[in-house]
Every structure is written in C-alpha cells, then in structure tokens.
Amino acid sequence: MIIQNGTIQVQCSDGGGLDSAGYPTSAVQTWGAPIPCQFIPTKHNALAQRTGEPVTEQSYTILVEAQARPFRANRVRLMQFGHVLGEFSVVSIELLEAVGEVRIIV
C-alpha cells in the first residue's frame, strides 16, 4: 500500500519509421495516463554546475502499486497537486514482491 503524494506519467512514442517514399518520419512523444505514486526525494543539489552554468540536480525514489503486467518506462514525468516537478530518465525499476509495489529510481 502506497501513501499517495503525487502521480507519474510514462512517456510514450507513437509513430516514427519510414513514410511511403522511404523517408524517415519522427515519432510523436505523448504522456500516458497519470499513475498514483508515492515519491521520496533522495537528492537535491541547487549548487551544481554544468559547463559553468548553474543547474539543480534532483533524484527521487518512486513507489507505485504493482500491476498484472511489468512496469516499463524510459522517461517519466513526476507531478504533485497538478504541478510538474520534473521530467526524468529512469535509472532503475525493481519489483518489490513482498509488498506488491514497484520501486522506480529517477
């Protein structure tokens, strides 16, 4: 059982490939339906810099209820109270069988 404090949405790619003339077409990126989740911030560094520019580094551990099918995602959007906290690449996905949850690290 999770204690919901936000939602995540999985990024989906639709289309792409080749058109009738053989030219490549780009895929359209869309966001899936919101999934209730519990997230815990694991890292927040507001003093980080990349190429001399200030950036904020953030990392979260996200828990969602396990579904009948395996959870798969390369990129997720984390939201709380309708506000986007960020879009993140998925680092790891782990099924926690004992509690019926999936742990996602971004």
Side-chain angles (χ1 to χ4, degrees):
M1 181 178 104
I2 63 168
I3 300 170
Q4 182 181 352
N5 63 350
T7 60
I8 62 169
Q9 293 176 293
V10 176
Q11 188 177 49
C12 306
S13 295
D14 295 328
L18 300 174
D19 65 7
S20 60
Y23 291 103
T25 59
S26 59
V28 176
Q29 305 296 330
T30 58
W31 294 102
I35 302 169
C37 72
Q38 176 181 355
F39 66 89
I40 303 121
T42 53
K43 179 181 179 183
H44 181 84
N45 182 2
L47 300 176
Q49 290 190 3
R50 287 206 181 101
T51 63
E53 295 293 321
V55 295
T56 301
E57 293 178 345
Q58 297 180 40
S59 178
Y60 294 93
T61 298
I62 303 169
L63 298 170
V64 297
E65 296 288 337
Q67 304 295 322
R69 59 185 171 90
F71 185 87
R72 293 196 176 124
N74 291 328
R75 192 156 179 82
V76 295
R77 177 164 60 185
L78 182 61
M79 300 182 72
Q80 185 178 37
F81 306 121
H83 294 82
V84 176
L85 296 178
E87 296 176 11
F88 303 95
S89 295
V90 174
V91 175
S92 70
I93 299 173
E94 179 182 3
L95 176 62
L96 306 174
E97 293 182 37
V99 291
E101 296 176 355
V102 176
R103 177 173 40 205
I104 306 159
I105 298 176
V106 298

